Amino acid sequence: MRSVERTVAVLRAFTARHPTRTLTEVATACGLDRAGTRRILLALVELGYVRHDGREYSLTPQVLEFGHAYLSGRSLPQIAQPHLDRLSDTVREMTALGVLEGPDVRYVAQAPGPKLLSVTIPVGTRFPAHTVSLGKALLAGIPPEDLEIWLGAGTLDPVTPHTLTGRREFLAEIATVRRRGFAVSEGELEEGLLGVAAPVRDRDGAVAAAANIALDARGRSADELHRDVIPLLLTTVSRIEADLRLRTGDG
């Protein structure tokens, strides 16, 4: 069991912020010694899950097979994908679907923007939920008592100077999201990045996921965002929910 835990720790050392790492960096991130880390990395290289360029290590696309069974067993990402594609083509920005996993949001579907310099976030990426619009939309969909438990399990660590870190301030923000039906996050994860998101509800009305649009904050005015972008997002969410109800036999 211990060897499995160490191997998983090595794989998880590679993140969106650190897609490549040296042996020392991997060992430090995992809290393992260099010799043990090197043995695990060499085994993963031989199995095809990790590549080594002589200095740095990185994951290969073969690691996606671990998530394939989970994603293929859930219909929601598949249902959402054509709607995300259509929305991305319309707004010319990246769109995505995310779910809440503990303190984080995990991206389970995405449609890249057609622009050369549009934001790109791979499926499987995790971000702290309090820093992104997807997380705010998801947290607004859980009962207040569960939100209190969620807040009690961790801290609202700052990622940028714009990240909401005060408990009272964050609860007020979530209450606003719950009231208006969508979330906005500007520069809380990364300077210049603007995200808008809305919850996707299942046939029972529970929030199953959230959909969002990621934009360059300098490219849209607040008026344009509320007039043009957010209505398109909410329409897309309604269409995903309608297809979800049909797929599950409700209506």
Side-chain angles (χ1 to χ4, degrees):
M1 180 64 72
R2 180 61 179 161
S3 63
V4 173
E5 291 176 352
R6 290 196 293 265
T7 301
V8 172
V10 167
L11 288 170
R12 295 189 67 177
F14 300 95
T15 65
R17 293 184 179 276
H18 301 286
T20 61
R21 287 186 184 270
T22 64
L23 171 60
T24 299
E25 289 170 341
V26 174
T28 300
C30 299
L32 303 174
D33 61 79
R34 282 172 51 89
T37 303
R38 184 173 183 273
R39 286 194 295 270
I40 294 171
L41 285 169
L42 290 178
L44 291 170
V45 169
E46 185 175 348
L47 291 170
Y49 296 113
V50 170
R51 65 169 60 92
H52 186 217
D53 64 6
R55 179 179 181 275
E56 294 184 317
Y57 295 86
S58 59
L59 299 181
T60 72
Q62 191 168 321
V63 298
L64 292 174
E65 69 183 25
F66 291 121
H68 177 71
Y70 169 78
L71 293 176
S72 63
R74 293 175 61 88
S75 61
L76 183 51
Q78 296 173 337
I79 290 172
Q81 191 63 57
H83 298 287
L84 296 177
D85 292 338
R86 191 176 305 115
L87 178 60
S88 181
D89 287 341
T90 301
V91 298
R92 300 187 60 77
E93 303 285 358
M94 177 193 156
T95 61
L97 190 79
V99 297
L100 193 63
E101 289 191 1
D104 299 328
V105 166
R106 183 183 292 277
Y107 286 66
V108 296
Q110 68 104 329
K115 296 191 304 186
L116 182 62
L117 298 179
S118 62
V119 178
T120 301
I121 300 173
V123 169
T125 298
R126 295 165 65 115
F127 290 125
H130 69 285
T131 67
V132 291
S133 60
L134 279 170
K136 293 179 183 180
L138 288 162
L139 290 171
I142 66 177
E145 59 272 21
D146 291 342
L147 179 59
E148 290 286 349
I149 294 172
W150 185 88
L151 283 169
T155 58
L156 304 176
D157 294 326
V159 177
T160 76
H162 306 291
T163 306
L164 294 179
T165 58
R167 182 187 180 92
R168 182 176 299 178
E169 183 184 20
F170 187 73
L171 285 172
E173 174 76 0
I174 296 303
T176 298
V177 174
R178 191 179 293 120
R179 183 179 66 254
R180 68 187 180 185
F182 64 87
V184 178
S185 177
E186 183 172 351
E188 295 183 57
L189 175 71
E190 183 177 326
E191 294 279 0
L193 181 62
L194 171 65
V196 293
V200 176
R201 299 181 181 276
D202 62 19
R203 59 183 297 185
D204 299 318
V207 174
N212 93 317
I213 304 171
L215 315 98
D216 184 339
R218 296 159 295 188
R220 309 269 182 173
S221 67
D223 287 344
E224 184 182 4
L225 187 70
H226 285 82
R227 183 186 66 241
D228 300 331
V229 177
I230 292 173
L232 288 171
L233 173 65
L234 295 177
T235 297
T236 296
V237 166
S238 295
R239 289 170 175 166
I240 294 172
E241 291 174 338
D243 281 0
L244 184 59
R245 287 193 297 270
L246 289 173
R247 182 69 64 88
T248 54
D250 184 16

